Amino acid sequence: MLAAVGREQVSAPRVRVVVVDDDALVRTGLRLMLGGSDVVELVGEAGDGHEGLTVVERERPDVVLMDIRMPGLDGLAATRRLTERGSSARVIVLTTFDTDEMVLTALRHGAAGFLLKDTPPAQLVDAVVRVARGEPMLSPSVTAQVITAATRTPDDTREKHARERVSRLTDREREVAVAIGRGLSNAEIAAELYLGLATVKTHIGRLFTKLEASNRVQIALCVHDAGLT
């Protein structure tokens, strides 16, 4: 009995997921993929952005799988509204399109991940779990696009805004921000800067506030826009 209780206490709760996509067949496919996992739980579905906002508010999921092109309110606008409302749900944009501008727009609106719809089931589940833990997740092809697009010369307004936000940082916070821009994990940042893991997490929490970012990808984009990497 004691052993059973111990196992129950250490077992992690499943990641709660809401799917927002106007294609019923896509929703069915995602339902089947997520239903085959014992680490995630599908708690709601919606066929457009407006309905999606209602379902997310009601179910309070950990992760939202959000289609981009939907009638009424599209996925980009819905993601922005969730960010503006202070939703704790992390959004993974799931689409068949991966143009530079679409990727960057989704990330700047607060998306924590961007995956193509042909992502294999195991990778999709892994992405959901990792994003729920606070890690950004992008398809390999999308990662390359983000790096390429983010390192282009930004427009004057965006660069000025990024530099203004970066000017709020202490020297150590700036070092952590640059490390995030290079794609380092918390453990790698701690090792490189000779910091404790808890200290790194504290710095990152301050970066979210000072850089007006909702996830690590937005920190990386701000660092790139400011010309620090």
Side-chain angles (χ1 to χ4, degrees):
M1 175 69 71
L2 291 177
V5 171
R7 286 195 298 271
E8 183 176 331
Q9 289 177 335
V10 300
S11 61
R14 292 196 291 176
V15 177
R16 293 166 51 81
V17 181
V18 163
V19 171
V20 183
D21 196 301
D22 65 320
D23 189 328
L25 289 178
V26 171
R27 294 200 305 274
T28 298
L30 292 172
R31 189 186 311 128
L32 292 173
M33 285 190 279
L34 297 175
S37 169
D38 58 1
V39 295
V40 299
E41 176 186 8
L42 182 62
V43 297
E45 299 180 24
D48 60 56
H50 288 295
E51 184 184 2
L53 294 177
T54 300
V55 174
V56 169
E57 183 176 354
R58 182 183 69 236
E59 299 296 339
R60 300 187 182 279
D62 302 301
V63 175
V64 179
L65 291 176
M66 181 82 74
D67 185 26
I68 281 188
R69 299 196 173 185
M70 295 182 289
L73 188 71
D74 65 28
L76 295 179
T79 298
R80 184 180 67 248
R81 291 195 187 182
L82 286 175
T83 300
E84 291 171 347
R85 294 179 181 182
S87 173
S88 62
R90 295 184 169 96
V91 176
I92 297 177
V93 173
L94 197 62
T95 183
T96 54
F97 307 94
D98 62 344
T99 62
D100 291 358
E101 188 59 35
M102 190 173 291
V103 172
L104 290 175
T105 298
L107 297 177
R108 293 187 191 283
H109 283 353
F114 196 110
L115 295 175
L116 301 182
K117 286 187 177 180
D118 60 0
T119 300
Q123 291 183 23
L124 175 65
V125 171
D126 179 63
V128 167
V129 173
R130 291 179 61 179
V131 165
R133 293 200 303 251
E135 303 175 25
M137 173 55 61
L138 303 174
S139 297
S141 62
V142 173
T143 300
Q145 290 184 15
V146 170
I147 293 173
T148 298
T151 53
R152 295 178 186 143
T153 302
D155 63 70
D156 292 341
T157 301
R158 197 167 74 238
E159 181 177 7
K160 181 179 179 180
H161 188 208
R163 288 184 178 278
E164 189 277 328
R165 284 180 289 166
V166 167
S167 70
R168 307 169 189 169
L169 306 181
T170 65
D171 290 342
R172 181 61 86 184
E173 289 167 352
R174 186 186 300 248
E175 290 176 337
V176 173
V178 170
I180 290 175
R182 291 165 47 209
L184 300 187
S185 66
N186 287 1
E188 291 169 334
I189 294 172
E192 182 169 295
L193 300 181
Y194 302 102
L195 298 172
L197 194 56
T199 302
V200 171
K201 292 179 179 179
T202 298
H203 283 311
I204 292 175
R206 292 171 181 163
L207 289 175
F208 286 144
T209 299
K210 291 185 176 182
L211 298 182
E212 303 170 16
S214 59
N215 57 57
R216 295 170 71 102
V217 177
Q218 290 186 339
I219 291 176
L221 290 174
C222 181
V223 166
H224 281 297
D225 286 348
L228 298 185
T229 57

